[in-house]
Structures are given as structure tokens and as C-alpha cells.
Amino acid sequence: MSATAHTPGPPAPDTGDDTGFGTDTGTASGTAADAAAGTAAGPADLPSPRAPRPAPPAPADLAHPAGLAPPAAALPPIPALHSSVIDWFDEHARELPWRRPDAGAWSVMVSEFMLQQTPVSRVLPVHEQWLARWPRPAALAAEPPGEAVRAWGRLGYPRRALRLHAAAGAIAERHGGQVPDDHAALLALPGVGEYTAAAVASFAYGRRHAVLDTNVRRVFARALTGVRYPPTATTAAERKLAHALLPEDEATAARWAASTMELGALVCTARAPACVRCPIAAHCAWRLAGSPAHDGPPRRGQTYAGTDRQVRGKLLAVLREATGPVAQEELDAVWHEPVQRARALDGLVADGLVEPLPGGTYRLPLT
């Protein structure tokens, strides 16, 4: 319940378990921060979770992908694997606004940005407010970037708002205000990386792409390679496996991408996988191996209290609520430690999230 240029980074927090389509954080998907935008009146979206699904691929796709750790005998034929997961999705997928048949590509794009490292429950109200205010990319592009930061609220990682604003401007200028349906054109948008380009092309336009977010990578790691967690950054082997598993039919491939992502979000979660509810538990290599513990580097969640991130959030909260420039004294009041406070403010200015003005005042950026 999701979008970001792409360089590996430190592990993302496990809030990705509750994403709607996916995350794009360079940690979760092997790509760095993406940004993108689309139109509220785009072509038909991915079929709704209850809609009839396309026929499975032809029998020629029965071969198991090469290079899997578990014995081939542990796996059903690939079309049966597709059917099991997609059938589960048809019955259990969440009703999310960006999945509605009339949602449009812009809704999908906005959701992808917002769901990066942010759970669905926090994204839903902001997504609704965002689409009500900016139903199309051109509407967002016409506003100052600081308004995007203001409307972002407390979703966290507010640079995503600036990237989304920049991408909206490029869509308005280059594509007539319509989110492009071509993967290469999506990838050429400012800030858009491999994950977001693939996710939007797949979820908004039903195209055939391997969409690898944290949830999908975890499902594949457990079910097909027999390990509890995937590597910190996406590997070439993971991409090869994802492409080997991709249905040939475009509509089925798009459905498979959404289905595996939802399976990871709702059932094959990071901390407490619900194997009794998994449609492919009988074939899961990790479960058949006795659910071995993770043997890689410790997985640590990101702390927040007392960090520069917390200070940045407090400073931005003052600026978001202000109707005009904010004096230094007002910002000084939000955090007791002056060195950390100054460092956080300098970081916000360097990131383009805050604009310093003459006389020691600050505001959200206008350009």
C-alpha cells in the first residue's frame, strides 16, 4: 500500500510489510528514491481484485526456472504457481483507492511515492487529500514545491514530495499532462528509478514487468530459495529469478506482480509470517526446510527518537503550519540542543526543503 533513483542503501524499516503496491527505497528494492506522476484520467488500470482474471500462460511455460536452491520437485509447474497466488489475491486483496478500475495512473503514481517506507494506514488519508487537491500532474506542477512539502504532512522522508513535484512538472511539459505508459519514458522522468517505472507501467497500464519491492523479494526468498530474508540490496540473481517467473501474458504478469506483493504484505510478513494462510505453503522451500533462522547480518529497525530525522520533522512541522516566513527564534524553540538543531536545519536547506531568507527567517520553497 508503492515508488526513486536507485543506489543500494541501509536496510529499510519493516513498515514495508503493510504497503499497498510496494516500496522503492533502494534498500527494499535495490533502487534508491524514485519520483513519478500521472493523470487522474489515464487508461484503464489493473483489473479490480474481484474482476475475472486472464487465462494462465500456455503449457510451454511449464519448465521450472533455472538456478533455484530448492529441488524442482518441491515446486508446482509455474502456471500452477501463478494460479495459486493470483486466486488467493482475487479473494483476499485489500480494497485500496489506487486499485480501483477508475483510479487512473496518477493515483497509482502518487501511491507509489507515498508507500515508500510508509504503511498503508498512514498513506490513505493523505493520498485522498492529495488527489482531491491535485487530481492531475499539471495541477501539482502549477503550485510551488513548498506546497507539496506542506501537503505531505507527517508521512516522513519529505524529499519524496519534492521529487513527485518535479516529476509532475516533467509530465506536464513532456507528455501533455498524461503519465507515460512506456517504461523507458517513465524511467526518464526526474527521480524515477527502476522500481517505480516498473510498478507504474504494471499496476496502472497492465504491462509485463518484474516488480521487485521488499514484499516480493521476501516471498521469492522464502518460497523459492529457502532463506528467511532476501539480501539487503537487490541482486542480479533476484532479478533473473523474477524475470524467469514472469508470466508471458501481459495481463497475467501484471496480476502476478500485484498478487505476490500483496502476499508479502499480508501473509509472508517479515516478523510473523502466517504460513497457515499461505496459498503456496506446501511448496515453500523455507518452510519445508524447517523455517531456518536468518544467518546474515542482524536486521535492525531504524530508530527515530532523538535523531536528526526527528529534529528535521519538528522544524518542518513549524514551517508547514506557518502562513509566512518563520523567524529563527520560532525554530530554536522546537529542540533544546543547538548543534543538532542547526545541523538538521542546514540539512533541510541543503535538500531544498527549506528556503532561507534575509533577516534570519525561513519558509518552504517557492521555486
Side-chain angles (χ1 to χ4, degrees):
M1 272 24 114
S2 117
T4 33
H6 300 297
T7 53
D14 283 332
T15 54
D17 281 355
D18 187 33
T19 55
F21 277 140
T23 59
D24 193 11
T25 62
T27 65
S29 62
T31 61
D34 273 359
T39 85
D45 283 298
L46 190 67
S48 70
R50 305 298 184 263
R53 61 182 174 80
D61 196 32
L62 287 173
H64 296 296
L68 297 184
L75 296 172
I78 290 180
L81 189 69
H82 294 157
S83 296
S84 296
V85 178
I86 293 173
D87 285 347
W88 171 88
F89 181 75
D90 288 344
E91 184 174 355
H92 299 284
R94 291 168 290 181
E95 297 283 359
L96 300 173
W98 45 88
R99 286 178 174 166
R100 295 170 186 156
D102 61 347
W106 173 239
S107 177
V108 173
M109 293 291 287
V110 172
S111 76
E112 284 299 328
F113 277 99
M114 292 183 174
L115 289 166
Q116 295 165 21
Q117 296 188 326
T118 306
V120 165
S121 59
R122 290 177 57 199
V123 164
L124 284 170
V126 182
H127 180 274
E128 180 181 5
Q129 294 161 11
W130 193 283
L131 269 293
R133 181 174 178 180
W134 298 307
R136 290 174 176 79
L140 174 60
E143 296 258 22
E147 287 305 300
V149 176
R150 192 189 310 277
W152 198 256
R154 302 191 66 83
L155 286 181
Y157 303 99
R159 277 177 291 180
R160 294 178 290 172
L162 292 181
R163 293 183 179 115
L164 182 52
H165 183 275
I171 290 170
E173 293 172 7
R174 305 175 195 171
H175 302 285
Q178 302 292 319
V179 177
D181 60 0
D182 177 70
H183 182 272
L186 287 164
L187 200 57
L189 295 173
V192 174
E194 177 60 35
Y195 166 78
T196 296
V200 173
S202 179
F203 300 145
Y205 295 109
R207 300 301 166 82
R208 182 180 182 270
H209 292 285
V211 183
L212 279 172
D213 84 325
T214 302
N215 295 309
V216 176
R217 295 178 61 228
R218 188 168 55 249
V219 168
F220 289 174
R222 290 174 180 170
L224 302 170
T225 61
V227 297
R228 183 177 178 87
Y229 297 121
T232 300
T234 306
T235 65
E238 288 180 286
R239 293 189 179 93
K240 182 178 180 181
L241 173 58
H243 282 93
L245 291 168
L246 200 59
E248 290 297 329
D249 173 73
E250 276 204 331
T252 306
R255 201 74 175 162
W256 167 252
S259 302
T260 50
M261 193 170 289
E262 189 78 335
L263 184 64
L266 299 184
V267 174
C268 194
T269 60
R271 295 187 181 90
C275 298
V276 294
R277 296 193 284 115
C278 180
I280 56 173
H283 308 286
C284 175
W286 181 63
R287 183 173 175 271
L288 292 174
S291 304
H294 177 59
D295 62 358
R299 292 168 54 87
R300 299 185 180 92
Q302 294 183 359
T303 58
Y304 182 73
T307 64
D308 284 4
R309 278 189 60 215
Q310 184 183 23
V311 184
R312 285 164 61 102
K314 287 181 174 293
L315 294 171
L316 270 184
V318 174
L319 291 160
R320 283 197 307 268
E321 294 166 5
T323 57
V326 174
Q328 180 74 58
E329 292 75 17
E330 294 180 64
L331 297 177
D332 289 347
V334 305
W335 195 253
H336 62 282
E337 210 289 307
V339 174
Q340 187 180 28
R341 186 179 63 237
R343 182 172 64 241
L345 182 57
D346 287 346
L348 290 171
V349 171
D351 290 340
L353 291 163
V354 173
E355 183 178 345
L357 300 172
T361 59
Y362 298 84
R363 70 183 178 193
L364 296 177
L366 294 182
T367 58

